[in-house]
């Protein structure tokens, strides 16, 4: 069964550094998403991406964040200058349709900012 | 705006016992409701969903949830749990029509099944 993959599984970085989290969505999916979960808190939507542009984003997704689909398979989330409060689990998801119940999630990348 | 409350952060239970994981939501419009499960080191997987029709929905592994509009709840139940049901369970809500389909999640309930 096809699955969404994410690398790395755990990333440790120093405050102020740039990080890139990588995702490989399911190959025939058209919609891509990033979510995050701070430890002990809710899973929060960050951004959705379709047709090579952002289709929706939350208040969390400020100028420090950017997304890119650099080639036909990868979907990346960049945090330009990490803060301590960016420490969280980041989930990538993809879907063929826009509705939530068709989204397939990756296993997540745990980002730790020191 | 919509929100989801999962009242229990952790639910310990013995194998073969029944379990209920609680979920309450608030929304000013009609909603779709979902339960996701996350096993260790895996992504979130859709467990079951309510879109319309029968208010009782079931999963293939014995879980069920009932949409109760008057109580704005979507509690998840299983009459007899297995060790393999140990996982994190997330309730989510999204708009049923118009607006954004982007879901709002609860903070999750950790189900721990003891032998």
């Amino acid at each position: 069964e096809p699955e969404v993959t994410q690398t790395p599984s755990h990333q440790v970085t120093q405050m102020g550094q740039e990080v890139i989290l990588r995702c490989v969505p399911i190959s025939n999916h058209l919609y891509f998403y990033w979510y995050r979960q701070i430890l002990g808190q809710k899973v929060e939507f960050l951004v959705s991406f379709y047709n090579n542009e952002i289709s929706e984003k939350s208040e969390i997704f400020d100028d420090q964040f950017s997304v890119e689909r650099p080639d036909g398979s990868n979907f990346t989330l960049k945090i330009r200058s990490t803060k301590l409060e960016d420490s969280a689990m980041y989930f990538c998801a993809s879907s063929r349709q826009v509705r939530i119940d068709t989204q397939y999630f990756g296993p997540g990348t745990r980002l730790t900012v020191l | 705006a919509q929100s989801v409350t999962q009242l229990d952060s952790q639910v310990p239970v013995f194998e073969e016992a029944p379990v209920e994981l609680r979920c309450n939501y608030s929304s000013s419009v009609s909603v779709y409701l979902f339960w996701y499960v996350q096993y260790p080191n895996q992504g979130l997987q859709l467990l079951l969903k309510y879109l319309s029709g029968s208010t009782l929905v079931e999963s293939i592994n014995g879980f069920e949830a009932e949409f109760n509009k008057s109580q704005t709840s979507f509690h998840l139940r299983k009459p007899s749990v297995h060790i393999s049901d140990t996982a994190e369970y997330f309730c989510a809500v999204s708009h049923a029509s118009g607006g954004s389909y982007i879901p709002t999640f609860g903070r999750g309930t950790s189900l721990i099944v003891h032998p």
Side-chain angles (χ1 to χ4, degrees), chain B residues 46-50 54-67 74 76-77 79:
Chain B
L46 182 65
L47 184 62
L48 47 75
K49 62 188 177 186
Y50 169 78
S54 173
T55 57
L56 183 66
V57 291
E58 299 176 351
S59 73
I60 58 172
N61 58 353
F63 282 94
E64 64 178 30
E66 185 160 19
F67 170 50
F74 191 56
L76 182 69
R77 302 184 182 94

Side-chain angles (χ1 to χ4, degrees), chain A residues 2 4 12 25 31 35 42 47 49 71 78 80 90 92 104:
Chain A
V4 176
V12 181
Y31 297 85
Y35 295 83
K42 302 183 179 192
V47 65
F49 192 85
D71 51 45
K78 181 192 291 186
R80 191 167 299 118
Y90 289 81
C92 172
Y104 288 76

Side-chain angles (χ1 to χ4, degrees), chain A residues 12-102:
Chain A
V12 181
T13 190
Q14 296 290 326
M15 190 170 56
Q17 295 295 304
E18 174 184 286
V19 294
I20 297 176
L21 310 183
R22 302 180 192 280
C23 169
V24 179
I26 294 173
S27 61
N28 61 352
H29 285 186
L30 303 174
Y31 297 85
F32 313 109
Y33 314 83
W34 283 102
Y35 295 83
R36 78 171 186 190
Q37 185 184 27
I38 296 171
L39 188 63
Q41 298 186 26
K42 302 183 179 192
V43 175
E44 302 170 294
F45 166 74
L46 293 178
V47 65
S48 61
F49 192 85
Y50 170 71
N51 201 25
N52 283 320
E53 61 183 27
I54 291 173
S55 49
E56 196 164 349
K57 61 181 182 179
S58 71
E59 293 175 354
I60 303 167
F61 194 86
D62 60 22
D63 292 343
Q64 292 296 316
F65 292 90
S66 62
V67 288
E68 193 177 34
R69 188 155 163 80
D71 51 45
S73 60
N74 289 284
F75 179 52
T76 62
L77 174 69
K78 181 192 291 186
I79 308 175
R80 191 167 299 118
S81 177
T82 50
K83 308 184 193 73
L84 295 176
E85 54 264 37
D86 293 328
S87 293
M89 182 73 89
Y90 289 81
F91 295 104
C92 172
S94 70
S95 65
R96 291 187 65 185
Q97 302 173 40
V98 70
R99 216 171 63 188
I100 173 185
D101 55 308
T102 67

